[in-house]
Amino acid sequence: MQFTPTLTPLTGETLDSLTEKLRVQGEPLFRAKQILDWLYKKRARTWEEMTNLPKPLRAWLAATFDLAPLSLVLNRQSEDVTDKLLLELRDASLIETVIIRAPQEGVGVEHSRKTICISTQVGCAMGCVFCASGLAGLKRDLSAGEIVAQVLQVCYREDARTPRARTELASFDNLVVMGLGEPRANYDELLLALKILNADWGLGVGARRVTISTSGLVPKILRLADEDLGFRLAISLHGATDVVREKIMPVNKAYPLAKLIPAVRAFSEKHGRMVTLEFILIDGINDSLPQAEKLRDIARDLHAHVNLIPYNTVAGLPWKRPSLTRQERFADILRAARISVTLRREKGHEIDAACGQLRLRTEKEREVASAQPPV
Ligand code: SAH
Ligand code: SF4
């Protein structure tokens, strides 16, 4: 389920597909590379900037391709550490893309490690009970062009923060596919987008810097294991037994732990690198010590890293994060077994911190606004 725009997003083209389209127009073979250089290497924002292209070609390009299939609606900054961008697509759908900065000791924030978190769907169909992204269900899948355009949008923003010399275009350290949506449910478009982002004619993002997070669609995990590009894998586990997991994640009915764990093992054996198990800590739901012990056993068995994430409250949902003491007690069980574990201590607990909330709230405001009688 995708939206068909009037103009094709240029960000969805590969060097081969663009070369072919230009060949049909009677253009020489080197044109596609020139155009993609303008887009990704020089970050041109208009066709007029592409001065080495003949004017008639620029006119044809403008009538055929969309340079940016989305626009910035809102930028919610939090303590100069997180930038949450609310982006509007051509059909007025909203998605979120987040920039997370991890400041390094002794250097300014402009030198912090930067991670970009991108969305793959408008909403989500997986129905995890704690998650804002899935509250209103799935609206549609994003196209590869829309996925790539999120990263470019972040680059444009970050370029503007750096001194304006064109040689100092902003870069980032990691890319995580953890925004709105279940990436594996939109597998083909995501893979195409990642190939464009990875290509040397694209943004050149190394596969090892890309982490794909999934709630556990087993067949897609096995498919990803077969891909040559070695992306990193994160599993949203959130329950260390079927009883607990099934209560909060409906996907566990189709793919219980007995199916999920062997698939994760197959992935890490194939790619020889550590998988991350994400585990949100929700008060009274999955934060008991027996859960910690079961999680420890799973992590040990898979040689996985565990990322404990204190739950971010979602407006309208009853779940809460456990107390700091309870979080630490849970983490200690893993630490005692020498499991590699991080307990996230981020500040962004304020309203809208959880992914999907900004979109949900803005959509509600829009509905209210459009329901107002005209004055
Ligand atoms: N759909 C994919 C990727 C997007 S969700 C997945 O589920 O893996 C990214 C991560 O944020 C997941 O681990 C998800 O479970 C977690 N998450 C969702 N809602 C959250 C909340 N309110 N607080 C903390 N983490 C949350
Ligand atoms: Fe979808 Fe992930 Fe949220 Fe579950 S946690 S509803 S899979 S976005």
Side-chain angles (χ1 to χ4, degrees):
M1 192 195 357
Q2 257 183 51
F3 158 71
T4 313
T6 341
L7 298 179
T8 312
L10 185 61
T11 44
E13 298 295 326
T14 62
L15 182 59
D16 285 350
S17 67
L18 190 59
T19 304
E20 178 53 22
K21 285 180 182 168
L22 289 161
R23 193 191 59 76
V24 173
Q25 291 302 307
E27 289 292 334
L29 289 178
F30 61 83
R31 282 282 183 238
K33 178 77 169 53
Q34 266 181 334
I35 295 166
L36 295 176
D37 269 359
W38 277 112
L39 184 66
Y40 294 112
K41 305 288 191 286
K42 302 184 195 140
R43 309 258 171 90
R45 312 270 299 261
T46 61
W47 299 107
E48 290 69 43
E49 282 172 71
M50 306 187 184
T51 43
N52 60 357
L53 305 181
K55 266 198 169 161
L57 173 60
R58 272 188 266 160
W60 178 80
L61 288 167
T64 311
F65 293 106
D66 200 348
L67 255 179
L70 41 76
S71 53
L72 183 65
V73 179
L74 195 71
N75 176 12
R76 192 53 107 65
Q77 267 182 313
S78 153
E79 314 224 357
D80 218 15
V81 172
T82 314
D83 273 36
K84 193 175 259 194
L85 310 183
L86 186 68
L87 302 172
E88 183 174 88
L89 308 172
R90 289 289 179 228
D91 64 347
S93 293
L94 296 171
I95 52 166
E96 291 175 19
T97 304
V98 186
I99 311 163
I100 306 147
R101 299 190 178 79
Q104 309 291 325
E105 295 255 330
V107 293
V109 73
E110 66 277 15
H111 298 294
S112 32
R113 281 181 74 80
K114 257 177 287 183
T115 299
I116 303 178
C117 175
I118 55 171
S119 295
T120 52
Q121 295 182 310
V122 185
C124 183
M126 304 305 289
C128 306
V129 298
F130 49 79
C131 178
S133 301
L135 269 184
L138 173 70
K139 187 164 168 196
R140 69 170 174 90
D141 288 338
L142 297 186
S143 66
E146 289 169 325
I147 297 172
V148 173
Q150 293 173 62
V151 183
L152 263 187
Q153 188 67 42
V154 170
C155 291
Y156 295 155
R157 253 201 59 75
E158 296 295 300
D159 291 347
R161 289 166 63 106
T162 61
R164 268 285 355 134
R166 275 296 194 188
T167 47
E168 287 191 50
L169 288 176
S171 60
F172 53 89
D173 303 285
N174 293 303
L175 184 70
V176 294
V177 189
M178 290 190 188
L180 294 176
E182 167 48 55
R184 301 310 163 85
N186 189 14
Y187 188 91
D188 293 337
E189 291 297 306
L190 173 64
L191 255 269
L192 175 57
L194 292 177
K195 280 176 184 160
I196 294 171
L197 289 165
N198 174 259
D200 53 2
W201 47 260
L203 277 178
V205 186
R208 277 152 200 267
R209 294 197 280 137
V210 177
T211 303
I212 306 173
S213 174
T214 176
S215 60
L217 291 174
V218 166
K220 302 291 169 62
I221 296 175
L222 295 172
R223 237 177 107 184
L224 192 74
D226 281 337
E227 295 285 341
D228 289 334
L229 289 172
F231 300 114
R232 290 177 181 274
L233 177 67
I235 303 290
S236 290
L237 198 66
H238 310 330
T241 51
D242 283 325
V243 175
V244 170
R245 194 163 191 265
E246 203 169 298
K247 260 193 233 158
I248 53 178
M249 300 183 73
V251 67
N252 199 73
K253 290 194 185 87
Y255 303 111
L257 295 174
K259 287 188 178 156
L260 179 60
I261 291 171
V264 178
R265 188 179 297 115
F267 182 94
S268 52
E269 277 169 7
K270 175 92 194 285
H271 290 280
R273 78 174 56 114
M274 246 185 175
V275 168
T276 296
L277 302 177
E278 295 167 275
F279 204 93
I280 315 178
L281 292 171
I282 312 177
D283 192 39
I285 301 291
N286 62 359
D287 60 341
S288 70
L289 298 186
Q291 278 290 298
E293 284 158 7
K294 286 271 193 282
L295 176 58
R296 172 198 64 198
D297 296 345
I298 296 173
R300 193 161 36 201
D301 172 35
L302 291 172
H303 303 291
H305 172 79
V306 176
N307 194 11
L308 297 175
I309 312 158
Y311 182 65
N312 279 313
T313 39
V314 173
L317 293 182
W319 324 105
K320 288 199 299 280
R321 59 170 60 175
S323 68
L324 284 179
T325 329
R326 231 175 132 79
Q327 292 174 26
E328 285 296 342
R329 272 218 317 244
F330 193 100
D332 279 344
I333 291 195
L334 296 148
R335 290 182 190 125
R338 300 192 165 278
I339 304 291
S340 156
V341 57
T342 41
L343 172 58
R344 221 189 265 174
R345 278 268 159 266
E346 94 287 9
K347 298 198 182 94
H349 188 37
E350 68 267 29
I351 281 292
D352 295 341
C355 212
Q357 291 217 72
L358 197 55
R359 161 179 174 255
L360 221 55
R361 202 165 52 85
T362 312
E363 287 210 326
K364 274 197 199 121
E365 282 168 8
R366 282 183 173 181
E367 268 169 38
V368 172
S370 66
Q372 299 291 324
V375 279

